[in-house]
Every structure is written in structure tokens, then in C-alpha cells.
Coordinates of all heavy atoms in Angstrom, one line a residue:
M924 N -233.4 27.0 -55.4 CA -233.6 28.3 -56.1 C -234.9 28.3 -56.8 O -235.2 27.5 -57.7 CB -232.4 28.6 -57.0 CG -232.4 30.0 -57.7 SD -230.8 30.3 -58.4 CE -231.0 29.9 -60.0
S925 N -235.8 29.3 -56.6 CA -237.1 29.4 -57.3 C -236.9 30.2 -58.6 O -236.1 31.2 -58.6 CB -238.1 30.1 -56.4 OG -237.8 31.4 -56.1
E926 N -237.7 29.9 -59.6 CA -237.6 30.5 -60.8 C -238.5 31.8 -60.8 O -239.6 31.7 -60.3 CB -238.1 29.6 -61.9 CG -237.7 30.0 -63.4 CD -238.1 28.9 -64.3 OE1 -237.6 27.8 -64.1 OE2 -238.7 29.3 -65.3
E927 N -238.0 32.9 -61.3 CA -238.8 34.2 -61.2 C -239.8 34.1 -62.4 O -239.5 33.6 -63.5 CB -237.9 35.4 -61.3 CG -237.1 35.7 -60.1 CD -236.5 37.1 -60.1 OE1 -236.9 37.9 -60.8 OE2 -235.5 37.2 -59.4
E928 N -240.9 34.8 -62.1 CA -241.9 34.9 -63.2 C -241.4 36.0 -64.3 O -241.0 37.0 -63.8 CB -243.2 35.3 -62.6 CG -244.5 35.4 -63.4 CD -245.7 35.8 -62.6 OE1 -245.6 36.5 -61.5 OE2 -246.8 35.3 -62.9
S929 N -241.6 35.6 -65.5 CA -241.3 36.6 -66.5 C -242.2 37.8 -66.6 O -243.4 37.7 -66.1 CB -241.2 35.9 -67.9 OG -242.6 35.7 -68.3
I930 N -241.8 38.9 -67.1 CA -242.6 40.1 -67.2 C -243.9 39.8 -68.0 O -245.0 40.3 -67.6 CB -241.9 41.3 -67.7 CG1 -242.7 42.6 -67.6 CG2 -241.5 41.1 -69.2 CD1 -243.0 43.0 -66.1
G931 N -243.8 39.0 -69.0 CA -245.0 38.7 -69.8 C -246.0 37.8 -69.0 O -247.2 38.2 -69.1
D932 N -245.4 36.8 -68.3 CA -246.4 36.0 -67.5 C -247.0 36.8 -66.4 O -248.2 36.7 -66.1 CB -245.6 34.8 -67.0 CG -245.2 33.8 -68.0 OD1 -245.8 33.8 -69.1 OD2 -244.4 33.0 -67.7
F933 N -246.2 37.8 -65.8 CA -246.7 38.6 -64.7 C -247.8 39.5 -65.2 O -248.9 39.6 -64.6 CB -245.6 39.4 -64.1 CG -246.1 40.5 -63.2 CD1 -246.3 40.2 -61.9 CD2 -246.1 41.9 -63.6 CE1 -246.8 41.2 -61.1 CE2 -246.6 42.8 -62.7 CZ -246.9 42.5 -61.5
T934 N -247.6 40.1 -66.4 CA -248.6 41.0 -67.0 C -249.9 40.3 -67.3 O -251.0 40.7 -67.0 CB -248.1 41.5 -68.3 OG1 -246.8 42.3 -68.0 CG2 -249.0 42.6 -68.9
V935 N -249.8 39.1 -67.8 CA -251.0 38.3 -68.1 C -251.7 37.9 -66.9 O -252.9 38.0 -66.8 CB -250.6 37.0 -69.0 CG1 -251.8 36.0 -69.1 CG2 -250.2 37.4 -70.4
R936 N -250.9 37.4 -65.9 CA -251.6 37.1 -64.5 C -252.3 38.2 -63.9 O -253.5 38.0 -63.5 CB -250.5 36.5 -63.7 CG -251.1 36.0 -62.3 CD -250.0 35.4 -61.5 NE -248.9 36.2 -61.2 CZ -248.9 37.2 -60.2 NH1 -250.0 37.4 -59.5 NH2 -247.9 37.9 -60.1
V937 N -251.6 39.3 -63.9 CA -252.3 40.5 -63.2 C -253.5 41.0 -64.1 O -254.5 41.3 -63.4 CB -251.3 41.7 -63.1 CG1 -252.0 43.0 -62.7 CG2 -250.3 41.3 -62.1
W938 N -253.4 40.9 -65.4 CA -254.6 41.3 -66.3 C -255.8 40.4 -65.9 O -256.9 40.8 -65.7 CB -254.2 41.2 -67.7 CG -255.4 41.4 -68.6 CD1 -256.2 40.4 -69.1 CD2 -255.9 42.6 -69.0 NE1 -257.2 40.9 -69.9 CE2 -257.0 42.4 -69.9 CE3 -255.5 43.9 -68.9 CZ2 -257.8 43.3 -70.5 CZ3 -256.3 45.0 -69.5 CH2 -257.3 44.7 -70.3
K939 N -255.5 39.1 -65.9 CA -256.6 38.1 -65.6 C -257.2 38.3 -64.2 O -258.5 38.3 -64.1 CB -256.1 36.7 -65.8 CG -255.8 36.3 -67.2 CD -255.4 34.8 -67.3 CE -255.2 34.4 -68.7 NZ -254.6 33.0 -68.8
E940 N -256.4 38.5 -63.2 CA -256.8 38.7 -61.8 C -257.7 39.9 -61.7 O -258.8 40.0 -61.1 CB -255.7 38.8 -60.8 CG -255.0 37.4 -60.7 CD -253.7 37.6 -59.8 OE1 -253.5 38.7 -59.3 OE2 -253.0 36.5 -59.7
C941 N -257.3 41.0 -62.4 CA -258.0 42.3 -62.3 C -259.3 42.2 -63.1 O -260.4 42.7 -62.7 CB -257.1 43.4 -62.8 SG -255.8 43.9 -61.8
R942 N -259.3 41.6 -64.3 CA -260.5 41.3 -65.2 C -261.5 40.5 -64.4 O -262.7 40.9 -64.4 CB -260.0 40.7 -66.4 CG -261.2 40.5 -67.3 CD -260.8 39.8 -68.6 NE -260.5 38.3 -68.2 CZ -260.1 37.4 -69.0 NH1 -259.7 37.7 -70.2 NH2 -259.9 36.1 -68.4
E943 N -261.0 39.5 -63.7 CA -262.0 38.7 -62.9 C -262.7 39.5 -61.8 O -263.8 39.3 -61.5 CB -261.3 37.4 -62.5 CG -261.0 36.5 -63.5 CD -260.2 35.3 -63.0 OE1 -259.9 35.2 -61.8 OE2 -259.8 34.5 -63.9
E944 N -261.8 40.4 -61.2 CA -262.3 41.1 -60.0 C -263.3 42.2 -60.5 O -264.3 42.4 -59.8 CB -261.1 41.8 -59.3 CG -261.4 42.6 -58.1 CD -261.9 41.7 -56.9 OE1 -261.5 40.6 -56.8 OE2 -262.6 42.3 -56.1
A945 N -262.9 43.0 -61.4 CA -263.8 44.1 -61.9 C -264.8 43.8 -62.9 O -265.8 44.5 -63.0 CB -262.9 45.2 -62.4
G946 N -264.5 42.8 -63.7 CA -265.5 42.4 -64.8 C -264.9 42.8 -66.1 O -264.3 43.9 -66.3
I947 N -265.1 42.0 -67.1 CA -264.5 42.3 -68.5 C -265.2 43.5 -69.1 O -264.5 44.3 -69.8 CB -264.7 41.1 -69.4 CG1 -263.8 41.3 -70.5 CG2 -266.1 40.8 -69.8 CD1 -263.4 40.0 -71.3
H948 N -266.4 43.9 -68.7 CA -267.0 45.1 -69.3 C -266.2 46.3 -68.9 O -266.2 47.3 -69.7 CB -268.5 45.2 -68.9 CG -268.7 45.2 -67.5 ND1 -268.6 44.2 -66.6 CD2 -269.0 46.3 -66.6 CE1 -268.8 44.5 -65.4 NE2 -269.1 45.8 -65.4
V949 N -265.7 46.4 -67.7 CA -265.0 47.5 -67.2 C -263.7 47.6 -68.1 O -263.2 48.7 -68.5 CB -264.7 47.3 -65.7 CG1 -263.7 48.5 -65.2 CG2 -265.9 47.4 -64.8
F950 N -263.0 46.5 -68.2 CA -261.8 46.5 -69.0 C -262.0 46.9 -70.5 O -261.2 47.5 -71.1 CB -261.0 45.2 -68.8 CG -260.2 45.1 -67.5 CD1 -260.9 44.9 -66.3 CD2 -258.9 45.4 -67.5 CE1 -260.2 44.9 -65.2 CE2 -258.2 45.4 -66.4 CZ -258.8 45.2 -65.2
F951 N -263.1 46.4 -71.0 CA -263.4 46.8 -72.4 C -263.6 48.3 -72.5 O -263.1 48.9 -73.4 CB -264.7 46.0 -72.9 CG -265.1 46.5 -74.3 CD1 -264.4 46.1 -75.3 CD2 -266.3 47.2 -74.4 CE1 -264.8 46.5 -76.6 CE2 -266.7 47.6 -75.7 CZ -265.9 47.2 -76.8
M952 N -264.4 48.9 -71.6 CA -264.6 50.3 -71.6 C -263.3 51.1 -71.5 O -263.1 52.1 -72.1 CB -265.7 50.7 -70.5 CG -267.1 50.3 -70.8 SD -267.7 50.9 -72.4 CE -267.7 52.5 -72.2
N953 N -262.5 50.6 -70.5 CA -261.2 51.2 -70.3 C -260.4 51.2 -71.6 O -259.7 52.2 -72.0 CB -260.4 50.6 -69.2 CG -259.2 51.2 -68.8 OD1 -259.1 52.5 -68.8 ND2 -258.2 50.5 -68.6
W954 N -260.3 50.0 -72.3 CA -259.6 49.9 -73.5 C -260.1 50.9 -74.6 O -259.3 51.4 -75.3 CB -259.7 48.4 -74.0 CG -259.0 48.2 -75.3 CD1 -257.6 47.9 -75.4 CD2 -259.5 48.2 -76.6 NE1 -257.3 47.7 -76.8 CE2 -258.5 48.0 -77.5 CE3 -260.8 48.5 -77.1 CZ2 -258.6 48.0 -78.9 CZ3 -261.0 48.5 -78.5 CH2 -259.9 48.2 -79.4
C955 N -261.5 50.9 -74.7 CA -262.1 51.9 -75.6 C -261.7 53.3 -75.4 O -261.3 54.1 -76.3 CB -263.6 51.8 -75.6 SG -264.2 50.2 -76.4
I956 N -261.7 53.7 -74.1 CA -261.3 55.0 -73.7 C -259.8 55.3 -74.1 O -259.5 56.4 -74.6 CB -261.6 55.3 -72.2 CG1 -263.1 55.3 -72.0 CG2 -260.8 56.6 -71.7 CD1 -263.5 55.3 -70.5
Q957 N -259.0 54.3 -73.8 CA -257.5 54.5 -74.1 C -257.3 54.6 -75.6 O -256.3 55.1 -76.0 CB -256.7 53.4 -73.5 CG -256.7 53.4 -72.0 CD -256.0 52.3 -71.4 OE1 -255.3 51.5 -72.1 NE2 -256.0 52.1 -70.1
N958 N -258.1 53.9 -76.4 CA -257.9 53.9 -77.8 C -258.9 54.6 -78.7 O -259.1 54.3 -79.8 CB -257.8 52.3 -78.3 CG -256.7 51.6 -77.6 OD1 -255.6 51.8 -78.0 ND2 -257.0 50.8 -76.6
H959 N -259.7 55.5 -78.1 CA -260.8 56.1 -78.7 C -260.4 56.9 -80.0 O -261.2 56.8 -81.0 CB -261.6 57.0 -77.8 CG -261.0 58.3 -77.4 ND1 -260.1 58.4 -76.4 CD2 -261.1 59.5 -77.9 CE1 -259.6 59.6 -76.3 NE2 -260.3 60.4 -77.2
F960 N -259.2 57.5 -80.1 CA -258.8 58.2 -81.3 C -258.7 57.2 -82.5 O -259.2 57.5 -83.6 CB -257.5 58.9 -81.1 CG -257.7 60.2 -80.2 CD1 -257.0 60.3 -79.0 CD2 -258.5 61.2 -80.5 CE1 -257.1 61.4 -78.3 CE2 -258.7 62.3 -79.8 CZ -258.0 62.4 -78.6
D961 N -258.1 56.1 -82.3 CA -258.0 55.1 -83.3 C -259.3 54.5 -83.7 O -259.6 54.2 -84.8 CB -257.0 53.9 -82.8 CG -255.5 54.4 -82.7 OD1 -255.2 55.4 -83.3 OD2 -254.9 53.9 -81.9
I962 N -260.2 54.3 -82.7 CA -261.5 53.7 -83.0 C -262.3 54.6 -83.8 O -262.9 54.2 -84.8 CB -262.3 53.4 -81.7 CG1 -261.5 52.3 -80.9 CG2 -263.7 53.0 -81.9 CD1 -262.0 52.0 -79.4
V963 N -262.3 55.9 -83.4 CA -263.1 57.0 -84.2 C -262.5 57.1 -85.6 O -263.2 57.1 -86.6 CB -263.1 58.3 -83.5 CG1 -263.6 59.4 -84.4 CG2 -263.9 58.2 -82.2
R964 N -261.1 57.1 -85.7 CA -260.5 57.2 -87.0 C -260.9 56.0 -87.9 O -261.3 56.2 -89.1 CB -259.0 57.3 -86.9 CG -258.3 57.4 -88.3 CD -256.8 57.3 -88.2 NE -256.4 56.1 -87.3 CZ -256.4 54.8 -87.6 NH1 -256.8 54.5 -88.8 NH2 -255.9 54.0 -86.7
E965 N -260.8 54.8 -87.4 CA -261.2 53.6 -88.1 C -262.7 53.7 -88.5 O -263.1 53.4 -89.6 CB -261.0 52.4 -87.3 CG -261.1 51.1 -88.2 CD -260.6 49.9 -87.4 OE1 -259.7 50.0 -86.7 OE2 -261.2 48.8 -87.7
F966 N -263.6 54.1 -87.7 CA -265.0 54.2 -88.0 C -265.3 55.2 -89.1 O -266.0 55.0 -90.0 CB -265.8 54.6 -86.7 CG -267.3 54.9 -87.1 CD1 -268.1 53.9 -87.4 CD2 -267.7 56.3 -87.2 CE1 -269.4 54.2 -87.8 CE2 -269.0 56.5 -87.6 CZ -269.8 55.5 -87.8
L967 N -264.6 56.4 -89.0 CA -264.8 57.4 -90.0 C -264.2 56.9 -91.4 O -264.9 57.2 -92.4 CB -264.0 58.6 -89.6 CG -264.7 59.5 -88.4 CD1 -263.8 60.6 -88.0 CD2 -266.1 59.9 -88.7
E968 N -263.2 56.2 -91.4 CA -262.7 55.6 -92.7 C -263.7 54.6 -93.2 O -264.0 54.6 -94.4 CB -261.3 54.9 -92.5 CG -260.2 55.9 -92.2 CD -258.9 55.2 -91.9 OE1 -258.8 54.0 -91.8 OE2 -257.9 55.9 -91.5
F969 N -264.3 53.8 -92.4 CA -265.3 52.8 -92.8 C -266.5 53.5 -93.3 O -267.1 53.2 -94.3 CB -265.7 51.9 -91.6 CG -266.8 50.9 -91.9 CD1 -266.5 49.8 -92.6 CD2 -268.0 51.2 -91.4 CE1 -267.4 48.8 -92.8 CE2 -269.0 50.3 -91.6 CZ -268.8 49.1 -92.4
D970 N -267.0 54.5 -92.6 CA -268.2 55.3 -92.9 C -267.9 56.0 -94.3 O -268.9 56.0 -95.2 CB -268.5 56.3 -91.9 CG -269.7 57.1 -92.3 OD1 -270.8 56.5 -92.4 OD2 -269.6 58.3 -92.3
S971 N -266.7 56.5 -94.5 CA -266.5 57.2 -95.7 C -266.5 56.1 -96.9 O -267.0 56.4 -97.9 CB -265.1 57.8 -95.6 OG -264.8 58.4 -96.9
M972 N -265.9 55.0 -96.6 CA -265.9 53.9 -97.7 C -267.2 53.5 -98.0 O -267.7 53.4 -99.1 CB -265.0 52.8 -97.2 CG -264.9 51.6 -98.2 SD -264.0 50.2 -97.5 CE -265.2 49.7 -96.2
M973 N -268.0 53.2 -97.0 CA -269.4 52.6 -97.2 C -270.3 53.6 -97.8 O -271.3 53.3 -98.5 CB -269.9 52.1 -95.9 CG -269.2 51.0 -95.3 SD -269.1 49.5 -96.5 CE -270.7 48.9 -96.4
S974 N -270.2 54.9 -97.5 CA -271.2 55.9 -98.0 C -270.7 56.5 -99.4 O -271.5 57.2 -100.1 CB -271.2 57.1 -97.0 OG -270.0 57.8 -96.9
G975 N -269.5 56.1 -99.8 CA -269.0 56.6 -101.1 C -268.5 58.0 -101.1 O -268.4 58.6 -102.2
E976 N -268.4 58.6 -100.0 CA -267.9 60.0 -99.9 C -266.5 60.1 -99.9 O -265.7 59.3 -99.4 CB -268.6 60.7 -98.6 CG -270.1 60.6 -98.7 CD -270.7 61.3 -97.4 OE1 -270.0 61.5 -96.5 OE2 -271.9 61.4 -97.4

């Protein structure tokens, strides 16, 4: 009886295979696009804090 791969291991394996195929820069840009609202919000908070406004 073979042991089935856990969903976590499957997710990591597929991520690594796709990252190697497409390149990490593609995955970074995809991550930025998916999270752009949080990225912009965090930047605006940082800018406000640093500028004293």
C-alpha cells in the first residue's frame, strides 16, 4: 500500500515545479498582483509615518 502525498506536500511540490518552469520573477509579480491592495496600504502607512503627515 503506497502512502498518499499530503495536501501540504502536494502544494509545495507543485509550487516548486511551476516556479522552476516559469521563473521566480513571474511568481513574484503574480504574488504582487494578487496582494496589491495590501502592498499599497502598507506603503501608504509607511509613507505617512516617515513623512510625519
Side-chain angles (χ1 to χ4, degrees):
M924 181 164 97
S925 66
E926 195 172 312
E927 286 192 28
E928 186 175 30
S929 73
I930 188 67
D932 290 342
F933 171 78
T934 303
V935 168
R936 181 176 57 79
V937 170
W938 173 268
K939 287 180 179 179
E940 289 173 3
C941 292
R942 183 186 68 188
E943 289 171 6
E944 181 73 24
I947 195 160
H948 61 284
V949 172
F950 278 78
F951 175 72
M952 291 302 297
N953 185 43
W954 180 85
C955 288
I956 291 167
Q957 291 177 7
N958 296 286
H959 73 277
F960 288 119
D961 293 331
I962 293 167
V963 170
R964 179 188 45 76
E965 186 172 331
F966 172 75
L967 291 174
E968 289 172 5
F969 175 78
D970 180 59
S971 177
M972 177 187 68
M973 294 304 287
S974 66
E976 295 176 352

